[in-house]
Amino acid sequence: MNHKSSPAWRIAPGQRLLFQDFEDGVVLFDALVGSTHLLDASAAETLAIIGEARGLDASAIHGKLLERLELSADALPLATVEALLQRFEAMALISVESA
Amino acid sequence: MTTGDLPAAAFASRMAADGVTLRIPPITVRVRSDVRALALQLHNVYRDYALVADADFADVDIRILRERGLRRWDSKQAHFIVDGTTPFDPFPIEHALPTFEWGLNWVFAQRMNMWLLLHAAAVERDGKALLLPAYPGGGKSTLAASLASRDWRLLSDEFAVVADERGTVLPFARPPAIKNAAIDVLRAFAPEISFGPVIPNTRKGTIAHMRVPRASLELGDAGATVGMIAFPEFQAGATIAVARIGEADAFMRLAVHSFNYDVLGARAFHMAGALVRSCPCHVLRYGDLSDAHAALESLARTAVTA
């Protein structure tokens, strides 16, 4: 889905995300549909940030991610995070915060 | 009383009349059949299983009956009936034993959702279970059967029945179905193994069922705690290769190899996580049973001393 302005994000209504952290990755359980996904650190942190602070847009999420992962914007560009958010939305893990 | 305590003819008569009830830990299975050859084959490969007398309850009621009709006794087809329903097409009478085994697997996978069911062979020694999850053709049945011919207890060649988050694995030991070239491989590896009939032209090729060693049945319903997980990958002619894998990798593999992960949902998610955290996980590529045994013995020693 394309959004004209930068949307704010939330965990999708009715969704419950469970995480297990391992040294070689994070495993996510999507309780809404019962599927399991293997995530890297940036993907897992993105969902964690959205879960902790509802209503952030991509830029704010990006800023928090860089801080938590101690990365530069060159290493993790905003466009990568925006693409990740789109993908999570398609998977019904997150949704756009309604006005 | 075990199946073998009854003469074969008496066992077959009872099976044709009222049926027989077998304790196949962790469940009780009632079987009735008018296919005498099946009764004699079950009497052979289930020889050391307990017969339940006057069973008021069975977890599964299976009937394998000749196709009805004017020439019923000449029929070359039979039906698999479970609790009064017929989930499969009729099958050739001579495939009755493998159909019984596949049918019981199907029922178990469909219904026993109080446990996490992994598509894995499982063996045990000294209270520690080794799980061998694999895709069909991965060599898990042959490897488990060969281990059971040594000093491992066969828990199952098809299901790892995980009962709780502590990693307790229950037995569901049934005659491993050895297929095609693996029959002769296993015979050469362990000549003492007793097989049922060699049945050609099944949907999985030629099959022979190994009689579960009596020693594997002596502990009855007792479970074991997972001590090691190895994902076998059989490749003819392959040299042995063992690679440790990470917990997240192992988790995702277990989820794929589960029959009822989706049914159990969050509970399965937590159980699978507890399993991979509790023990080392490896991929085991092998082309020779002796090499696989040596590799597993080495891993088991490392796991014990770790």
Side-chain angles (χ1 to χ4, degrees), chain B residues 4 8 31 47 61 65 105 110 113 122 150 172 220-221 273 276 282:
Chain B
V31 192
R47 187 183 68 178
D61 182 289
L65 301 177
N105 284 345
Q110 291 285 318
N113 291 316
R150 299 297 192 254
F172 189 42
D221 286 59
V276 300
H282 295 82

Side-chain angles (χ1 to χ4, degrees), chain B residues 222-239:
Chain B
T225 305
V226 172
M228 191 165 63
I229 300 173
F231 296 86
E233 296 177 354
F234 172 78
Q235 288 180 7
T239 53

Side-chain angles (χ1 to χ4, degrees), chain B residues 8-33:
Chain B
F11 181 82
S13 297
R14 187 183 291 190
M15 184 174 282
D18 300 325
V20 297
T21 305
L22 293 166
R23 182 65 185 166
I24 307 175
I27 62 170
T28 300
V29 180
R30 184 181 297 127
V31 192
R32 185 158 78 82
S33 179

Side-chain angles (χ1 to χ4, degrees), chain B residues 149-193:
Chain B
S149 76
R150 299 297 192 254
D151 54 351
W152 294 80
R153 171 192 178 204
L154 181 70
L155 294 173
S156 174
D157 78 312
E158 184 71 13
F159 291 92
V161 182
V162 184
D164 54 42
E165 288 192 28
R166 296 187 302 278
T168 304
V169 180
L170 302 177
F172 189 42
R174 312 223 320 285
I178 309 303
K179 302 168 197 75
N180 303 311
I183 299 169
D184 285 338
V185 169
L186 195 54
R187 278 191 166 134
F189 182 83
E192 70 278 14
I193 287 178

Side-chain angles (χ1 to χ4, degrees), chain A residues 22-43:
Chain A
F22 300 105
E23 281 190 8
D24 57 330
V26 177
V27 179
L28 163 70
F29 183 70
D30 167 357
L32 196 60
V33 298
S35 60
T36 300
H37 308 279
L38 180 59
L39 307 178
D40 63 15
S42 59

Side-chain angles (χ1 to χ4, degrees), chain B residues 201-220:
Chain B
N201 303 319
T202 77
R203 61 186 171 87
K204 292 190 177 181
T206 298
I207 284 186
H209 295 86
M210 169 189 164
R211 184 193 291 158
V212 177
R214 185 177 299 164
S216 286
L217 301 171
E218 287 173 346
L219 290 177

Side-chain angles (χ1 to χ4, degrees), chain B residues 6 76 139 153:
Chain B
L6 273 183
K76 301 290 191 283
R153 171 192 178 204

Side-chain angles (χ1 to χ4, degrees), chain B residues 77-95:
Chain B
Q77 298 272 304
H79 290 277
F80 179 95
I81 303 161
V82 56
D83 296 335
T85 65
T86 307
F88 312 125
D89 290 335
F91 57 87
I93 291 258
E94 58 269 26
H95 295 170

